[in-house]
Amino acid sequence: MTGTAAELVPVVEIDDHAVAGGKPGEITKVLGAAFDDAIHGRAERYREWLDVVHPRDLETPAGDAGSGERITGATG
């Protein structure tokens, strides 16, 4: 299952009944790892989906943006 806040969550139970022994299966693990690599910028094939946000582009209430490069989640 997927959602904005949950991102990617394996279904291991439906109405108190275990699905596949109550543990994520191999396909779910592979998809989860690929998703995690994509949203954290570790998968080159999905890099174009990400927008790099540089701390200097951000303004904090104190005006201190910090330092370093950060990669944000998927955009499309």
Side-chain angles (χ1 to χ4, degrees):
M1 295 182 67
T2 64
T4 303
E7 295 181 349
L8 184 70
V9 179
V11 176
V12 295
E13 184 179 287
I14 298 175
D15 291 335
D16 298 324
H17 298 283
V19 174
K23 297 182 180 178
E26 284 304 310
I27 293 172
T28 300
K29 291 176 185 177
V30 169
L31 290 174
F35 179 83
D36 195 54
D37 287 345
I39 66 170
H40 290 99
R42 293 186 297 260
E44 186 64 38
R45 73 186 285 189
Y46 302 113
R47 285 260 170 96
E48 68 184 57
W49 294 5
L50 304 175
D51 289 320
V52 176
V53 178
H54 299 279
R56 66 180 172 274
D57 297 335
L58 302 175
E59 288 188 31
T60 62
D64 180 3
S67 63
E69 182 179 279
R70 296 185 183 133
I71 298 176
T72 62
T75 60

